[in-house]
Amino acid sequence: MTNGKLDDFIERLRGPVPGTPAVLEQLRIAGNPVLVRFGSPALAERLTRSVRHLRQGFSSPPDLVIDCWSTEQIPAAGFAGESAEAGMFHLEREGIQLTWDSPDGPLAIYDPLKSHAWMRFGPVDSVSNYEVARPFRKILHWWAADRSLQMIHAGAIGSARGGVLLAGPSGSGKSTTALACLAGGLQYAADDYCLVEPGKLPQVHSLYTSGVANARTADLVPTLRHALLSAPCMPGYDSAKHLIFSDEVAPASATLGFPLRAILVPRVTGGNTSRLEPLSPAESLRALAPSTLLQLPGQRAEGLARLAKLVRAVPSWRLCLGGDPRTAVDLLADLLARHGEPDACPQIQSSCQA
Protein backbone atom coordinates (compact mmCIF):
# COMPACT_ATOMS: atom_id res chain seq x y z
CA MET A 1 0.00 0.00 0.00
CA THR A 2 1.45 3.37 -0.98
CA ASN A 3 1.52 6.33 1.40
CA GLY A 4 -1.17 8.05 -0.65
CA LYS A 5 -3.49 5.05 -0.51
CA LEU A 6 -2.96 4.72 3.23
CA ASP A 7 -3.71 8.42 3.73
CA ASP A 8 -6.93 8.10 1.73
CA PHE A 9 -7.91 4.96 3.59
CA ILE A 10 -7.40 6.55 7.00
CA GLU A 11 -9.31 9.66 6.00
CA ARG A 12 -12.31 7.57 4.92
CA LEU A 13 -12.41 6.00 8.39
CA ARG A 14 -11.83 9.02 10.58
CA GLY A 15 -14.62 10.75 12.43
CA PRO A 16 -18.18 9.75 13.31
CA VAL A 17 -20.78 8.44 10.95
CA PRO A 18 -22.77 11.55 9.87
CA GLY A 19 -25.97 12.05 11.84
CA THR A 20 -25.02 9.54 14.56
CA PRO A 21 -25.01 10.97 18.10
CA ALA A 22 -22.02 9.84 20.15
CA VAL A 23 -22.33 7.91 23.42
CA LEU A 24 -19.52 8.99 25.75
CA GLU A 25 -17.64 6.84 28.25
CA GLN A 26 -15.01 8.28 30.58
CA LEU A 27 -12.45 5.74 31.77
CA ARG A 28 -9.30 6.02 33.84
CA ILE A 29 -6.65 3.57 32.66
CA ALA A 30 -3.37 3.33 34.58
CA GLY A 31 -4.30 6.69 36.09
CA ASN A 32 -4.81 8.36 32.70
CA PRO A 33 -8.15 9.81 31.51
CA VAL A 34 -9.43 8.06 28.38
CA LEU A 35 -12.53 9.18 26.47
CA VAL A 36 -14.35 6.60 24.34
CA ARG A 37 -17.04 7.82 21.91
CA PHE A 38 -19.45 5.24 20.52
CA GLY A 39 -21.63 5.67 17.47
CA SER A 40 -24.64 3.96 19.07
CA PRO A 41 -25.95 2.89 22.50
CA ALA A 42 -25.99 -0.74 21.32
CA LEU A 43 -22.29 -0.70 20.49
CA ALA A 44 -21.48 1.07 23.75
CA GLU A 45 -23.39 -1.51 25.77
CA ARG A 46 -21.60 -4.38 24.04
CA LEU A 47 -18.08 -3.00 24.40
CA THR A 48 -18.10 -1.60 27.94
CA ARG A 49 -19.13 -4.64 29.94
CA SER A 50 -15.54 -5.63 30.81
CA VAL A 51 -14.31 -2.07 31.55
CA ARG A 52 -17.07 -0.85 33.88
CA HIS A 53 -14.67 -0.87 36.85
CA LEU A 54 -12.56 1.76 35.03
CA ARG A 55 -15.37 4.32 34.79
CA GLN A 56 -14.36 7.58 36.41
CA GLY A 57 -15.35 11.08 35.41
CA PHE A 58 -12.70 13.69 34.71
CA SER A 59 -12.61 17.38 33.85
CA SER A 60 -9.11 17.56 32.38
CA PRO A 61 -8.48 16.90 28.68
CA PRO A 62 -8.32 13.16 27.94
CA ASP A 63 -4.95 11.56 27.36
CA LEU A 64 -6.51 9.37 24.66
CA VAL A 65 -9.69 9.59 22.59
CA ILE A 66 -11.09 6.44 20.96
CA ASP A 67 -13.89 6.75 18.39
CA CYS A 68 -15.85 3.54 17.77
CA TRP A 69 -18.51 3.04 15.11
CA SER A 70 -20.35 0.20 13.51
CA THR A 71 -20.80 0.05 9.74
CA GLU A 72 -22.28 -2.53 7.42
CA GLN A 73 -19.04 -2.86 5.52
CA ILE A 74 -15.43 -1.98 6.29
CA PRO A 75 -13.80 -0.62 3.11
CA ALA A 76 -10.95 -2.90 2.09
CA ALA A 77 -9.59 -0.97 -0.89
CA GLY A 78 -5.84 -0.77 -0.80
CA PHE A 79 -5.33 -3.98 1.18
CA ALA A 80 -5.21 -6.22 -1.89
CA GLY A 81 -1.84 -7.91 -2.16
CA GLU A 82 -0.67 -6.96 1.34
CA SER A 83 0.82 -9.77 3.42
CA ALA A 84 -1.27 -11.03 6.33
CA GLU A 85 -0.08 -12.19 9.73
CA ALA A 86 -2.42 -14.83 11.19
CA GLY A 87 -5.30 -13.25 9.26
CA MET A 88 -4.40 -9.78 10.49
CA PHE A 89 -3.08 -6.89 8.41
CA HIS A 90 -0.73 -4.58 10.29
CA LEU A 91 0.70 -1.40 8.81
CA GLU A 92 2.85 1.27 10.44
CA ARG A 93 3.83 4.59 8.92
CA GLU A 94 5.31 7.61 10.70
CA GLY A 95 4.12 6.23 14.02
CA ILE A 96 0.53 5.63 12.90
CA GLN A 97 -0.52 2.04 13.59
CA LEU A 98 -3.27 0.30 11.61
CA THR A 99 -4.57 -3.26 11.95
CA TRP A 100 -7.43 -5.09 10.35
CA ASP A 101 -8.61 -8.56 11.42
CA SER A 102 -9.58 -9.62 7.93
CA PRO A 103 -11.92 -10.27 6.37
CA ASP A 104 -14.80 -9.45 8.74
CA GLY A 105 -13.17 -8.33 11.98
CA PRO A 106 -12.63 -4.84 13.39
CA LEU A 107 -10.23 -2.29 12.00
CA ALA A 108 -8.17 -0.13 14.36
CA ILE A 109 -6.04 2.98 13.78
CA TYR A 110 -3.92 4.84 16.33
CA ASP A 111 -2.29 8.23 15.75
CA PRO A 112 0.19 8.93 18.60
CA LEU A 113 0.75 12.56 17.64
CA LYS A 114 -2.94 13.31 18.10
CA SER A 115 -3.51 10.80 20.95
CA HIS A 116 -6.50 9.70 18.92
CA ALA A 117 -7.67 6.27 17.80
CA TRP A 118 -10.47 4.94 15.62
CA MET A 119 -12.18 1.54 15.52
CA ARG A 120 -14.60 0.30 12.90
CA PHE A 121 -16.76 -2.76 13.47
CA GLY A 122 -19.28 -4.55 11.32
CA PRO A 123 -22.93 -4.71 12.42
CA VAL A 124 -23.29 -4.61 16.21
CA ASP A 125 -24.75 -8.10 16.40
CA SER A 126 -21.63 -9.41 14.64
CA VAL A 127 -19.20 -8.03 17.24
CA SER A 128 -17.60 -11.16 18.70
CA ASN A 129 -17.41 -12.11 22.37
CA TYR A 130 -13.63 -11.87 21.97
CA GLU A 131 -14.02 -8.13 21.40
CA VAL A 132 -16.56 -7.90 24.22
CA ALA A 133 -14.03 -9.48 26.57
CA ARG A 134 -11.03 -7.37 25.50
CA PRO A 135 -12.20 -4.17 23.80
CA PHE A 136 -9.64 -1.76 22.28
CA ARG A 137 -6.80 -4.19 23.15
CA LYS A 138 -4.46 -3.28 20.29
CA ILE A 139 -5.11 0.44 20.60
CA LEU A 140 -4.42 0.35 24.34
CA HIS A 141 -1.24 -1.65 23.68
CA TRP A 142 0.11 1.02 21.29
CA TRP A 143 -0.98 3.92 23.49
CA ALA A 144 0.45 2.35 26.65
CA ALA A 145 3.78 1.57 24.97
CA ASP A 146 4.14 5.28 24.12
CA ARG A 147 3.92 5.90 27.89
CA SER A 148 6.46 3.20 28.80
CA LEU A 149 3.70 0.89 30.02
CA GLN A 150 3.68 -2.74 28.90
CA MET A 151 0.57 -4.72 28.05
CA ILE A 152 1.18 -8.30 29.17
CA HIS A 153 -0.57 -11.55 28.31
CA ALA A 154 -0.99 -12.91 31.84
CA GLY A 155 -3.47 -13.23 34.65
CA ALA A 156 -3.14 -10.96 37.69
CA ILE A 157 -4.50 -11.62 41.17
CA GLY A 158 -3.66 -10.13 44.53
CA SER A 159 -4.73 -7.94 47.42
CA ALA A 160 -4.15 -4.40 48.60
CA ARG A 161 -0.67 -5.49 49.76
CA GLY A 162 0.32 -6.55 46.26
CA GLY A 163 -0.25 -9.16 43.62
CA VAL A 164 1.28 -11.62 41.17
CA LEU A 165 1.23 -12.24 37.44
CA LEU A 166 0.22 -15.71 36.24
CA ALA A 167 2.08 -16.37 33.00
CA GLY A 168 2.02 -19.33 30.67
CA PRO A 169 0.44 -20.90 27.61
CA SER A 170 -3.13 -22.10 27.28
CA GLY A 171 -3.70 -25.20 29.38
CA SER A 172 -1.07 -24.36 31.99
CA GLY A 173 -3.70 -23.62 34.64
CA LYS A 174 -3.40 -19.86 34.89
CA SER A 175 -7.07 -19.09 34.16
CA THR A 176 -8.28 -21.78 36.56
CA THR A 177 -5.92 -20.45 39.22
CA ALA A 178 -7.09 -16.87 38.68
CA LEU A 179 -10.75 -17.90 38.94
CA ALA A 180 -10.06 -20.02 42.02
CA CYS A 181 -8.43 -16.97 43.61
CA LEU A 182 -11.50 -14.93 42.65
CA ALA A 183 -13.73 -17.49 44.39
CA GLY A 184 -11.32 -17.53 47.34
CA GLY A 185 -11.65 -13.82 48.05
CA LEU A 186 -8.55 -12.38 46.38
CA GLN A 187 -8.73 -9.39 44.05
CA TYR A 188 -8.88 -10.10 40.33
CA ALA A 189 -7.10 -7.67 38.03
CA ALA A 190 -6.88 -9.83 34.90
CA ASP A 191 -7.48 -13.22 33.37
CA ASP A 192 -5.21 -12.72 30.37
CA TYR A 193 -4.33 -9.05 29.69
CA CYS A 194 -3.21 -6.24 31.96
CA LEU A 195 -0.81 -3.30 31.95
CA VAL A 196 2.39 -3.22 33.98
CA GLU A 197 4.13 0.02 34.89
CA PRO A 198 7.89 -0.49 35.28
CA GLY A 199 9.82 0.83 38.24
CA LYS A 200 11.65 -0.25 41.37
CA LEU A 201 8.34 -1.76 42.44
CA PRO A 202 6.32 -2.39 39.26
CA GLN A 203 2.59 -1.68 39.33
CA VAL A 204 -0.14 -3.82 37.78
CA HIS A 205 -3.04 -1.90 36.21
CA SER A 206 -6.27 -3.71 35.47
CA LEU A 207 -7.90 -3.44 32.05
CA TYR A 208 -10.69 -6.03 31.93
CA THR A 209 -12.89 -7.93 34.37
CA SER A 210 -13.48 -10.68 31.82
CA GLY A 211 -12.34 -14.27 32.22
CA VAL A 212 -12.71 -17.53 30.31
CA ALA A 213 -13.11 -21.07 31.59
CA ASN A 214 -14.46 -24.45 30.55
CA ALA A 215 -16.33 -27.32 32.19
CA ARG A 216 -13.11 -28.57 33.78
CA THR A 217 -12.78 -25.25 35.61
CA ALA A 218 -16.34 -25.61 36.85
CA ASP A 219 -15.43 -29.01 38.29
CA LEU A 220 -12.35 -27.61 40.02
CA VAL A 221 -14.04 -24.43 41.28
CA PRO A 222 -17.59 -25.60 42.02
CA THR A 223 -18.67 -22.29 43.59
CA LEU A 224 -18.40 -20.76 40.10
CA ARG A 225 -20.19 -23.59 38.28
CA HIS A 226 -23.43 -21.74 37.59
CA ALA A 227 -21.67 -18.55 36.47
CA LEU A 228 -19.32 -20.49 34.19
CA LEU A 229 -21.72 -22.84 32.50
CA SER A 230 -24.50 -20.28 32.03
CA ALA A 231 -22.13 -17.78 30.37
CA PRO A 232 -21.80 -17.34 26.59
CA CYS A 233 -19.19 -19.33 24.72
CA MET A 234 -16.01 -17.73 23.43
CA PRO A 235 -15.05 -18.21 19.78
CA GLY A 236 -11.73 -19.50 18.55
CA TYR A 237 -10.95 -22.09 21.22
CA ASP A 238 -10.44 -25.83 20.79
CA SER A 239 -12.75 -26.63 23.71
CA ALA A 240 -15.89 -24.86 24.81
CA LYS A 241 -14.85 -21.91 26.94
CA HIS A 242 -17.25 -19.53 28.56
CA LEU A 243 -16.99 -15.79 29.12
CA ILE A 244 -17.61 -14.45 32.61
CA PHE A 245 -17.08 -11.09 34.34
CA SER A 246 -15.48 -11.04 37.76
CA ASP A 247 -17.40 -8.00 38.99
CA GLU A 248 -20.66 -9.83 38.31
CA VAL A 249 -19.53 -13.01 40.09
CA ALA A 250 -17.83 -11.32 43.06
CA PRO A 251 -18.28 -7.52 43.10
CA ALA A 252 -15.72 -7.04 45.87
CA SER A 253 -13.03 -8.61 43.68
CA ALA A 254 -12.86 -5.66 41.26
CA THR A 255 -9.61 -3.70 41.53
CA LEU A 256 -7.77 -1.05 39.55
CA GLY A 257 -4.48 -2.76 40.32
CA PHE A 258 -1.78 -3.33 42.90
CA PRO A 259 2.02 -3.43 43.35
CA LEU A 260 3.58 -6.40 41.60
CA ARG A 261 5.31 -8.74 44.06
CA ALA A 262 6.14 -11.73 41.87
CA ILE A 263 5.71 -13.55 38.56
CA LEU A 264 4.36 -17.09 38.77
CA VAL A 265 4.44 -19.65 35.96
CA PRO A 266 1.81 -22.34 36.66
CA ARG A 267 2.21 -25.99 35.70
CA VAL A 268 -0.21 -28.78 36.55
CA THR A 269 1.79 -31.45 38.40
CA GLY A 270 -0.89 -33.32 40.34
CA GLY A 271 -0.62 -34.39 43.93
CA ASN A 272 -2.61 -33.07 46.84
CA THR A 273 -1.07 -29.66 47.34
CA SER A 274 0.38 -26.77 45.36
CA ARG A 275 4.01 -25.74 45.74
CA LEU A 276 6.47 -23.11 44.53
CA GLU A 277 9.97 -23.46 43.11
CA PRO A 278 12.36 -20.62 42.33
CA LEU A 279 12.51 -19.68 38.66
CA SER A 280 15.27 -17.78 36.88
CA PRO A 281 14.55 -14.47 35.13
CA ALA A 282 15.34 -16.14 31.79
CA GLU A 283 12.74 -18.87 32.38
CA SER A 284 10.22 -16.26 33.46
CA LEU A 285 10.88 -14.24 30.30
CA ARG A 286 10.32 -17.34 28.16
CA ALA A 287 6.91 -17.76 29.78
CA LEU A 288 5.90 -14.11 29.29
CA ALA A 289 7.44 -12.94 26.04
CA PRO A 290 6.21 -15.20 23.21
CA SER A 291 2.46 -14.90 23.73
CA THR A 292 2.69 -11.24 24.76
CA LEU A 293 4.74 -10.11 21.78
CA LEU A 294 3.22 -12.33 19.09
CA GLN A 295 -0.37 -11.43 19.97
CA LEU A 296 0.24 -7.67 20.07
CA PRO A 297 1.33 -6.08 16.77
CA GLY A 298 3.99 -3.39 16.78
CA GLN A 299 6.40 -2.22 19.51
CA ARG A 300 7.92 -5.70 19.80
CA ALA A 301 11.57 -4.76 20.28
CA GLU A 302 10.64 -2.18 22.90
CA GLY A 303 8.24 -4.64 24.51
CA LEU A 304 10.91 -7.32 24.81
CA ALA A 305 13.23 -4.83 26.52
CA ARG A 306 10.50 -3.86 29.00
CA LEU A 307 9.71 -7.51 29.76
CA ALA A 308 13.40 -8.29 30.28
CA LYS A 309 13.62 -5.42 32.76
CA LEU A 310 10.46 -6.60 34.53
CA VAL A 311 11.66 -10.16 35.18
CA ARG A 312 14.80 -8.74 36.78
CA ALA A 313 12.79 -6.42 39.04
CA VAL A 314 10.65 -9.01 40.85
CA PRO A 315 11.18 -12.68 41.83
CA SER A 316 9.76 -15.46 39.67
CA TRP A 317 8.57 -18.90 40.71
CA ARG A 318 7.11 -21.99 39.16
CA LEU A 319 3.65 -22.62 40.61
CA CYS A 320 3.24 -26.40 40.76
CA LEU A 321 -0.50 -26.95 40.85
CA GLY A 322 -2.02 -29.83 42.78
CA GLY A 323 -5.39 -31.34 42.10
CA ASP A 324 -7.28 -28.92 44.36
CA PRO A 325 -7.02 -25.26 43.27
CA ARG A 326 -7.86 -24.14 46.80
CA THR A 327 -4.36 -25.16 47.89
CA ALA A 328 -2.96 -22.70 45.33
CA VAL A 329 -5.23 -19.96 46.66
CA ASP A 330 -4.01 -20.57 50.23
CA LEU A 331 -0.40 -20.62 49.05
CA LEU A 332 -0.70 -17.34 47.13
CA ALA A 333 -2.63 -15.64 49.92
CA ASP A 334 0.16 -16.60 52.33
CA LEU A 335 2.81 -15.45 49.86
CA LEU A 336 1.17 -12.05 49.43
CA ALA A 337 0.61 -11.65 53.16
CA ARG A 338 4.38 -12.01 53.54
CA HIS A 339 4.98 -9.36 50.83
CA GLY A 340 6.30 -11.96 48.43
CA GLU A 341 9.63 -12.47 50.18
CA PRO A 342 10.85 -15.97 49.20
CA ASP A 343 12.73 -16.61 52.44
CA ALA A 344 9.56 -15.89 54.41
CA CYS A 345 7.43 -18.47 52.61
CA PRO A 346 8.04 -21.97 54.04
CA GLN A 347 6.14 -23.74 51.25
CA ILE A 348 8.70 -22.92 48.55
CA GLN A 349 10.57 -26.04 47.51
CA SER A 350 13.69 -26.54 45.44
CA SER A 351 11.86 -28.57 42.81
CA CYS A 352 8.38 -29.41 41.58
CA GLN A 353 7.28 -32.81 42.82
CA ALA A 354 4.60 -34.81 41.04
Side-chain angles (χ1 to χ4, degrees):
M1 177 182 286
T2 66
N3 286 356
K5 287 184 178 180
L6 180 57
D7 289 336
D8 292 342
F9 186 77
I10 291 174
E11 287 305 320
R12 282 193 290 157
L13 291 165
R14 287 182 172 180
V17 176
T20 305
V23 177
L24 305 183
E25 281 284 354
Q26 291 182 319
L27 309 176
R28 193 166 290 275
I29 300 176
N32 299 291
V34 174
L35 177 65
V36 187
R37 302 189 297 206
F38 295 95
S40 71
L43 187 62
E45 180 179 3
R46 189 143 179 80
L47 292 178
T48 55
R49 193 173 177 184
S50 67
V51 296
R52 291 172 298 193
H53 65 309
L54 303 177
R55 285 173 172 162
Q56 185 177 342
F58 50 82
S59 56
S60 60
D63 193 65
L64 172 67
V65 175
I66 306 175
D67 285 326
C68 296
W69 279 271
S70 172
T71 57
E72 288 299 319
Q73 184 176 4
I74 295 175
F79 278 107
E82 299 287 348
S83 60
E85 180 179 322
M88 180 186 70
F89 291 102
H90 175 228
L91 300 173
E92 181 177 357
R93 184 178 63 78
E94 297 178 359
I96 293 178
Q97 304 274 358
L98 182 153
T99 64
W100 180 34
D101 294 332
S102 63
D104 301 318
L107 188 147
I109 301 173
Y110 168 64
D111 186 339
L113 294 181
K114 296 182 178 180
S115 293
H116 203 144
W118 299 263
M119 286 201 75
R120 286 297 180 274
F121 297 88
V124 173
D125 57 6
S126 72
V127 175
S128 72
N129 281 333
Y130 192 90
E131 293 295 330
V132 172
R134 308 162 183 114
F136 331 122
R137 178 172 59 94
K138 293 166 189 171
I139 287 172
L140 294 178
H141 158 59
W142 298 321
W143 165 79
D146 286 339
R147 284 144 187 82
S148 298
L149 301 169
Q150 180 61 43
M151 184 176 285
I152 290 183
H153 181 231
I157 58 93
S159 67
R161 301 172 72 102
V164 301
L165 293 178
L166 299 169
S170 177
S172 64
K174 60 183 176 65
S175 290
T176 297
T177 301
L179 290 172
C181 290
L182 168 66
L186 291 176
Q187 292 182 326
Y188 180 101
D191 172 70
D192 58 1
Y193 287 101
C194 61
L195 291 179
V196 174
E197 182 177 355
K200 186 175 181 180
L201 180 58
Q203 183 80 16
V204 173
H205 297 285
S206 177
L207 290 174
Y208 310 120
T209 60
S210 56
V212 295
N214 55 20
R216 173 63 174 161
T217 308
D219 291 337
L220 293 172
V221 192
T223 56
L224 297 180
R225 177 181 298 275
H226 177 72
L228 291 174
L229 298 185
S230 63
C233 283
M234 287 286 287
Y237 289 92
D238 294 335
S239 60
K241 288 200 173 184
H242 300 267
L243 173 62
I244 67 168
F245 298 89
S246 63
D247 58 332
E248 297 177 2
V249 175
S253 71
T255 178
L256 296 180
F258 33 65
L260 178 62
R261 302 295 180 183
I263 299 169
L264 305 185
V265 180
R267 185 175 74 188
V268 178
T269 60
N272 296 321
T273 62
S274 298
R275 301 169 299 277
L276 294 170
E277 75 166 13
L279 206 62
S280 71
E283 291 173 301
S284 181
L285 184 62
R286 282 195 291 270
L288 278 173
S291 61
T292 292
L293 299 178
L294 293 177
Q295 294 186 38
L296 297 169
Q299 299 277 359
R300 286 176 177 167
E302 299 88 343
L304 181 59
R306 283 189 289 268
L307 291 175
K309 183 177 179 180
L310 177 67
V311 299
R312 294 193 295 267
V314 296
S316 297
W317 296 309
R318 175 84 63 189
L319 173 59
C320 304
L321 295 171
D324 186 350
R326 290 174 297 183
T327 65
V329 178
D330 294 340
L331 176 61
L332 298 188
D334 183 59
L335 177 68
L336 294 173
R338 297 169 185 269
H339 280 203
E341 295 297 331
D343 293 339
C345 188
Q347 291 170 286
I348 295 179
Q349 300 186 357
S350 60
S351 64
C352 282
Q353 303 172 6

